[in-house]
Amino acid sequence: IMSQKHPFHLVDPSPWPLVAATAAFSTTSGAVLYMHGYSGGGSFLAFSFVFLVSSMFIWWRDIIREGTLEGQHTSIVQLGLRFGVILFIVSEVIFFLAFFWAFFWASLAPVPEIGSVWPPQGIEVLSAWEVPFLNTLILLSSGASVTWAHHAIIVGDRTQTINGLLLTIALAILFTTLQGFEYLNANFTIADSIYGSTFYMATGFHGFHVFIGTCALSVMLLRVILHHFTKQHHFGLEAAIF
């Protein structure tokens, strides 16, 4: 067995970055074809999406094996991964800042095309004290429960970690369900002026992030049950939480 004299992970050659990139490009292309009504666009989108999810599953399976079974994720490697997550979060902040910027720019100086008023004429806005307020409370509660799970894994309490993750996942599912209910009862669509487009882009992408986070935490829950994490080695869970 060869031993290495440095703490870094020299990744073995892998086809999955190229395969996943191809699948992501195909999914984007399929979405464009489907939205523009091209024949076969929906089938191409569905195939590309399954292709993408399969690539992600296999690639992340390899990463889990490298970090959990092979011990490749040393402290210096975990530090690099944490920097990567921080950069990802910064990019997400900028991503959502663009939507909020568009919303506030349009609301502070409404143009004549939307009647020079805000919200635009014909838009019946959703009450902030109904489903949005309830979803805000649910999000804050899920933040508290996932923090509970995080602190529990730090002290090595698997039972409390599992309980915290179960509660967090349940709250996330409830949030997504309520947001879907809100969409079904809204009297405007994404095509109704800049209000509709910015509202659905911002809240839709936020809901999509909640869905991805729910999936990630569900995988982390399974890994906690399978004893993949210790008090010192649980970066996967922390990344899912962030």
Side-chain angles (χ1 to χ4, degrees):
I1 300 176
M2 297 181 63
S3 62
Q4 61 183 36
K5 299 181 179 180
H6 59 79
F8 301 99
H9 179 201
L10 302 181
V11 184
D12 295 330
S14 171
W16 305 125
L18 179 59
V19 171
T22 304
F25 179 75
S26 299
T27 302
T28 304
S29 302
V32 172
L33 295 175
Y34 172 73
M35 293 177 186
H36 285 271
Y38 282 88
S39 176
S43 300
F44 183 66
L45 173 60
F47 171 79
S48 300
F49 182 74
V50 172
F51 185 27
L52 176 61
V53 172
S54 301
S55 303
M56 294 164 58
F57 176 84
I58 298 173
W59 190 2
W60 289 338
R61 178 207 61 184
D62 291 348
I63 294 174
I64 291 174
R65 183 179 64 244
E66 292 167 354
T68 306
L69 303 179
E70 297 179 5
Q72 299 283 10
H73 291 178
T74 61
S75 59
I76 191 67
V77 172
Q78 291 186 54
L79 179 62
L81 294 173
R82 283 183 169 83
F83 281 135
V85 172
I86 291 173
L87 290 175
F88 172 74
I89 293 174
V90 171
S91 72
E92 292 292 284
V93 171
I94 297 173
F95 178 80
F96 280 100
L97 177 63
F99 296 124
F100 283 106
W101 187 301
F103 182 88
F104 286 115
W105 179 86
S107 63
L108 293 175
V111 295
E113 287 79 3
I114 60 174
S116 298
V117 294
W118 191 265
Q121 294 179 352
I123 297 291
E124 182 181 343
V125 301
L126 299 168
S127 173
W129 299 105
E130 295 178 357
V131 174
F133 180 69
L134 177 58
N135 263 351
T136 300
L137 295 180
I138 292 173
L139 273 183
L140 293 175
S141 300
S142 67
S145 60
V146 82
T147 302
W148 165 28
H150 186 204
H151 282 275
I153 195 67
I154 290 175
V155 298
D157 192 333
R158 287 183 60 255
T159 302
Q160 294 298 317
T161 303
I162 292 172
N163 291 339
L165 288 176
L166 285 172
L167 179 57
T168 303
I169 293 169
L171 290 171
I173 293 173
L174 178 59
F175 173 91
T176 306
T177 303
L178 288 175
Q179 183 162 327
F181 172 80
E182 185 180 50
Y183 282 1
L184 289 175
N185 288 274
N187 76 328
F188 58 91
T189 68
I190 195 172
D192 289 325
S193 77
I194 190 171
Y195 184 93
S197 61
T198 53
F199 173 85
Y200 281 104
M201 287 295 287
T203 60
F205 269 112
H206 178 256
F208 178 70
H209 280 71
V210 172
F211 171 74
I212 295 299
T214 305
C215 295
L217 289 177
S218 299
V219 174
M220 294 306 112
L221 173 61
L222 177 61
R223 294 188 64 192
V224 172
I225 294 174
L226 295 176
H227 297 270
H228 282 193
F229 298 127
T230 65
K231 292 190 292 185
Q232 297 81 18
H233 199 284
H234 51 265
F235 171 74
L237 176 60
E238 290 182 331
I241 291 173
F242 294 152

